[in-house]
Amino acid sequence: MSGDLTTRTSGHRAAWPFSLAGVVLVIAGSFLSWSYDSSILGDLSINFYPGSLQILAIILAVLGLVLLLIEKGPLESRLGQWLDATLGLRALGLMLTLYMALVLIAISVESDGLINVNPGGYVSLVGAVLLLVGSRLLPLRQLRDLGQARLPGWFEILTIALMMAAILFAAAYALGLTEAWAFVLCLVFIAGVITALFRIGVMGWFGHVAQRHKKVLTLAAFVVAFFFPFTQGGSDANMSIATQVLIFAATAMGLNIVVGLAGLLDLGYIAFLGSGAYVAAMLSESAFATIDWHPPFPVVVLIGACVAATLGLIIGSPTLRVSGDYLAIVTLGFGEIFRLAMFNLDGINGPLLTNGPNGIPGIPELQIGNFNFGDEHTVAGLELGRFSNYYFLLLLLIGFVILVFARLNDSRIGRGWVAIREDEKAAEAMGVNVFGLKLLAFAVGAFLAGVAGTIKAHQDVAVSPDQYIFLESAFLLAAVVLGGMGTIAGVLLGATILKLLPEKLRFFSEYRLLLFGLLLVLMMRFRPEGLVASRRRKLEFHEEDEELAVAVESELVEEAR
C-alpha cells in the first residue's frame, strides 16, 4: 500500500517536468525541417523558418505551456483555482499527438514513404507523446465553478468580440488551404484548441457570458459573417462554398422546426427546397422557362414559398395521423414522388412545366431594381464577385429564418410543439391542438425552405430533378441532429460542417460517406444531444443519466445484501 502511494507521489512530481520537456521538444522540433519534399504541405523543409503547419504546432505547444504555468507556476495563484489546467493539458496532449501523427502520415502519403520525414517531425512527435504521458500523471484537484465568475461588462463584451474575430480568422485561413491534408490538419488544430478550452472551463464560462449578452453576440456574429467575403481576396471558389453553406443552413433551420421543435421525422424535406427552386426557374426569363409570366423577384419569392407551404399542407393533412417510423416512410415517399413528378412534367407524360430530366438551365442572374447580382463590384479596393452578392442576400435570408424560428420557439405555439415532441398523448389530454400544430410545423418549415429554393435557382443558374434526391434530405436531417435539435447555433454549426467538409475533402471522395457515418455514430455515442444542446434537451439527458445511476446503485445494494 505504501509502495503504491510512493510510486504515485513520485509520478506526480515527475509529471510537470515531463510535460514541460514535451512542450519544449514540440517547439524545438517545429523550428527544424519536417519534410524532405518542399512541394507538399506548404513547404516544411526549411530549418529555423517554420511553415504554416509548424506554426500551428507551436501555438498548441505554447497553449500547453500556459496551462503548465497555471498548474504550477506564476499563474497558479491567480488562475489555478478557476481553470482546470490538468484536463486541458490531457486534451491538448492527445490532440497534439494526433496532429503530429497525421503530419507524418501526410508526408508519407504525399511523398511516397516515411523516408522523406526529416528529424524535426520525429522530435515534435516525441514531444507531443511526452506531453500526453506527463499530463496523464498530473493529479486532479477541486476547483471553483468558473461559470459563477462575473467580470466587468466591458471585459465580457470584449471577449465576445475577440472570439468572433478568432472565428473569422480561422474560417478565412482554413478555406484558403487548397491541399486536403493541410485542411484536415487545420481542423485537428482547431478541434484541439476548442477541446482544451472546453476542458479547462473557458468555453463554459463563455456560454454564460453569451447568455448575459445575447444581443451583442448575435450582432457580433452577423458582423463577422458580413466581413467574411472581404477576407477571401475575390476567390469565387470559396464564396461559392459559402453560399451553398448558407442555403443549406437556411433549409436546415426550416427542418429544425419540424424535427427539433415538433419532433416529426421528415425524410423528404428536400422536396420543399426543390419546389421553391422550380417555381423560380419556371417564372424566370430563361429561354427554357415554361411559363410566360415574369413577375418581380419579391413576388416570385412569395409564390415559391406559398407553393412549398401548400405542398407541406398536402403531405401533412393525410399523413400526420401516423407517427414515428410510419411518418418517416410516408415523408420519404413524398420526397421521391416530388423528384419523379419533376421528371414527368415534360410535355409528354404530363404538362410541360419542368422540361423533364433536362431541367431548366440558363436561368439569368437575379436582378432587384438596378442591382444585378451577376456583376462584380469593388468595395474598399477588394473585388466582390457574383457569389459574394448572393452571399449577402443569403445573410439576410438567414437573419429572417433565425428571427422566425426564435419567435416561434419562445411563443405559445413553440411550447405546444415541444409538448407534442415530448409526449403527444399527454399534450392532447392537456388541450393542445396536436393535429393543427403538426400541420402548422410542416407548413412553416416548408415555407422557409421554399424561400431558400427561389434564391438557390438563380445562384445555381439551373435546376434539375437530380439535385433533389433522398441523400440531400438525409444530410439536412443529419445537420439538425449533429448540431443539436431545437437550437439555432447548433443547426448552423451542423449545416456548416456537413456542407463544408465534403467540398474541401474531395481527396477522400471514396471514403466521405464512410467518414460521415462514423461521425454520426460517434456523436450518438458520446454526445447524443448534439454539438450545441438546448438547455431543455440537456436536462433530459442528465435526468436519464441520473435515473440510470440510481438504478445501478440500487442493483449494487441488492447484490450486497
Side-chain angles (χ1 to χ4, degrees), residues 407-480:
R407 293 299 183 185
L408 287 174
N409 189 24
D410 296 333
S411 68
R412 183 177 180 181
I413 294 174
R415 291 193 294 272
W417 281 334
V418 172
I420 293 171
R421 184 191 70 196
E422 301 305 325
D423 193 325
E424 183 177 330
K425 297 299 181 183
E428 190 173 12
M430 295 301 294
V432 176
N433 184 358
V434 172
F435 183 79
L437 286 180
K438 282 184 174 181
L439 209 57
L440 181 62
F442 261 96
V444 173
F447 183 92
L448 297 177
V451 174
T454 57
I455 300 176
K456 177 177 171 59
H458 288 275
Q459 195 263 329
D460 290 344
V461 195
V463 294
S464 65
D466 293 333
Q467 293 175 301
Y468 307 103
I469 58 178
F470 163 70
L471 190 60
E472 294 298 323
S473 293
F475 269 87
L476 285 169
L477 181 61
V480 175

Side-chain angles (χ1 to χ4, degrees), residues 254-340:
L255 180 60
N256 196 24
I257 293 176
V258 181
V259 177
L261 295 184
L264 305 173
L265 186 56
D266 189 347
L267 295 179
Y269 190 77
I270 195 65
F272 303 128
L273 179 70
S275 62
Y278 264 101
V279 166
M282 289 186 289
L283 296 178
S284 70
E285 296 183 2
S286 168
F288 300 93
T290 55
I291 297 178
D292 191 20
W293 181 47
H294 313 297
F297 183 69
V299 177
V300 173
V301 170
L302 184 60
I303 294 174
C306 290
V307 168
T310 303
L311 289 178
L313 293 174
I314 291 174
I315 185 60
S317 298
T319 61
L320 288 182
R321 300 188 186 278
V322 298
S323 60
D325 299 338
Y326 300 101
L327 177 61
I329 293 172
V330 171
T331 54
L332 172 61
F334 169 70
E336 289 301 297
I337 288 171
F338 171 80
R339 185 177 64 85
L340 294 174

